Amino acid sequence: MSMINDFVVRFANVNGTGSASANYLFAKSIFRMGIPMSPKNIFPSNIQGLPTWYEVRVSERGYLGRREGVDVCVSVNPQSMKQDVACVKPGGYFLYDNTKPLAAELIREDINYLGIPLMATCNREYTDPRQRQLFKNVMYVGALSALLQIEFGVLEELLAEQFAGKEKLIAPNVKALKLGIDYVHEHFTYPLPMRVERRDLVGNSILTTGNSASGLGAVYGGATVVAWYPITPSTSVAEAFHEYADELRIDADGRTNFAIVQAEDELAAIGMVIGASWNGSRSFTATSGPGVSLMNEFLGLAYFAEVPVVLVDVQRTGPSTGMPTRTQQSDLTIAAYASHGDTKHVMLFPSTPTECFDMTADSFDLAERLQTPIMIMSDLDLGMNDHMCTPFQWDEHSEYDRGKVYSAEDLDTIKRYGRYQDVDHDGIPYRTIPGVHATKGSYVVRGSSRDEFAVYTEDSAAYMRNMDRLSKKWETAKTLVHAPQRYQEKDASTSGALFFGTTTDSAQEALDILKASGIVIDALRLRAFPFNNTVAEFVRSHDRVFVIEQNRDGQMRSLLTTELNVDPAKLLSVLNYDGMPITAETITSQILHHLNQTS
């Protein structure tokens, strides 16, 4: 059966052998031929030596969530070869280095084997050991290009871009590509039934990671201070901010106007961010689940003292160290209610790098308007993998919203400044920037109970007034956060599905699969917490709602149950927590299981 622009290729390599650039060359060549594709880098948490995989889903229909089953597996790692053979779908292809023969246990009767003497050829053609390893990777890309009919000119163009300024490296890489191509031409029937045909389906889309987009979004959002402690998979957020700030946050005299502090730990990092934000700088940090755990105490301080804070949480598997290089959406509960006592924190749920850019930029306005921590809930899949997305846009005429800040002139008109007075009856008080006035506007920032004038008190009535005002602020936040995305103007079904973040692509594909079989399900994508009235109404208007998320305990379902005060039996969990991105097959099978149980 012919499969045009609809297949999955998996590369099985050894971590640290230079395969990443070759695999990316393959993925980007598909993109350059105008075909939607989605790569996933599956790598270990050690530095070198363990198996690593790189999957590329090609789908001209635009289904870019991870798909189960592999159509072509390129396996050059003896450590993982047994499971690599097992992952190939019946009728699929297994491309391997036949410099040494395959063991009998690796032979399946229902798949096709493509043996290419990769190492033997490179040993013959190159003398440098490192070159032999690197060009072996490029050679299998050349072989794949012939087998799948990828245009050679596209590969040449990409190599020219990759090695701009290092042109002497282009010819050896082209040679390695041709070694693979020539071997296929001489020994196999090509192209394969699954192959690539040029299309014009990507438009002006770009390829980038969510972490890079968040780093750039922080620059455009006005951030001038980042304090952080390195942790997978969030480190590249701070690195991207540094890279972009070096280019974009330079004064006319050549001096930088930003500060980057690598703290001694996550607790120190969030403390520095709170201090900088209180002092008037737009500040942020980036971390993952273990860091959020450590930051809980200071997040409670920022909530109670009402200091603007932005935190990018690139989630990974937990608990504890978990699997540091696998993805999950399992920080929802700890982020929503971080700290002891009654606290609630705003969370934003981007699903694309474009939304990582937009939401990170917006979060600084939101933090200052609400005077509270804002958490951008990304994850490893979104943060570290390349995704097709629309180009970022920025209104050059836009102005930052600093929220309710009294100026020196404002203070001169006020008899007595009350830091925690609810002047506008929306729960949000007016703040001041230190030093704004010579004699007015100062107050003590405390994590202990205080009255409306920031004066310490243990008076129960004053404490309750403050807590009630914070609850009123939470209601105001519902009108300011990003609204959910509806996928139909009016309900077409008694069943609904809620999803968010990186469950989105696979959820949409699953709903299309179900619709093709006659099962229609309404859909809503969550983009923020707290939930607004649209979310509440969506849940109320359906008999059952499938909540699709990537954690074991159904954390989003728990938030919906608690915050919307709905019958828990109405919310049906669709879960994935193996550390891999959720698939449409997983979602479809679980929804069908629920429907069969309730029919």
Side-chain angles (χ1 to χ4, degrees), residues 272-283:
M272 293 174 186
V273 168
I274 291 171
S277 295
W278 170 79
N279 202 42
S281 296
R282 289 196 155 188
S283 312

Side-chain angles (χ1 to χ4, degrees), residues 505-515 584-585 587-588 591:
D505 283 336
S506 292
Q508 290 176 306
E509 182 179 1
L511 296 181
D512 284 350
I513 293 170
L514 291 166
K515 186 176 181 180
E585 292 90 340
I587 296 170
T588 302
I591 288 178

Side-chain angles (χ1 to χ4, degrees), residues 31 35-39 59 62 64 201-203 205-208 352-354 385-390 505:
F31 180 71
I35 305 157
M37 65 89 212
S38 175
S59 173
L64 298 180
L201 299 173
V202 302
S205 297
I206 61 173
L207 277 179
T208 191
T352 66
T354 302
N385 285 322
D386 284 290
H387 295 263
M388 278 180 49
C389 63
T390 56
D505 283 336

Side-chain angles (χ1 to χ4, degrees), residues 155-169:
L155 294 169
E156 284 188 306
E157 180 182 272
L158 289 171
L159 286 175
E161 294 174 6
Q162 180 180 346
F163 296 114
K166 301 177 181 178
E167 281 73 15
K168 66 179 182 179
L169 298 176

Side-chain angles (χ1 to χ4, degrees), residues 437-593:
H437 194 286
T439 59
K440 295 182 177 181
S442 61
Y443 63 96
V444 176
V445 182
R446 16 177 126 254
S448 52
S449 181
R450 69 289 168 125
D451 65 13
E452 287 79 358
F453 296 94
V455 177
Y456 174 77
T457 180
E458 294 186 18
D459 177 68
S460 297
Y463 170 79
M464 288 182 65
R465 287 197 305 273
N466 189 61
M467 294 301 289
D468 290 342
R469 181 182 56 76
L470 289 171
S471 292
K472 185 186 296 184
K473 183 201 287 192
W474 186 250
E475 294 302 312
T476 300
K478 294 178 181 180
T479 68
L480 298 177
V481 298
H482 296 73
Q485 179 182 355
R486 290 193 64 113
Y487 289 83
Q488 61 286 313
E489 291 186 8
K490 59 183 180 179
D491 294 340
S493 172
T494 58
S495 296
L498 287 171
F499 45 85
F500 60 99
T502 51
T503 61
T504 300
D505 283 336
S506 292
Q508 290 176 306
E509 182 179 1
L511 296 181
D512 284 350
I513 293 170
L514 291 166
K515 186 176 181 180
S517 64
I519 301 172
V520 176
I521 297 176
D522 298 327
L524 186 76
R525 179 167 71 91
L526 301 170
R527 300 178 70 215
F529 175 78
F531 309 121
N532 68 10
N533 289 334
T534 301
V535 180
E537 178 56 33
F538 184 85
V539 174
R540 281 195 299 266
S541 64
H542 291 90
D543 294 340
R544 65 180 71 84
V545 177
F546 303 104
V547 184
I548 304 168
E549 52 186 314
Q550 300 188 87
N551 57 69
R552 184 196 67 181
D553 294 340
Q555 294 183 27
M556 182 60 78
R557 177 181 177 274
S558 296
L559 291 179
L560 290 161
T561 301
T562 301
E563 297 297 325
L564 300 182
N565 195 27
V566 298
D567 180 1
K570 190 175 192 175
L571 302 176
L572 305 175
S573 285
V574 176
L575 305 175
N576 181 72
Y577 49 92
D578 63 1
M580 303 296 286
I582 196 169
T583 65
E585 292 90 340
T586 294
I587 296 170
T588 302
S589 65
Q590 291 190 39
I591 288 178
L592 289 174
H593 176 72

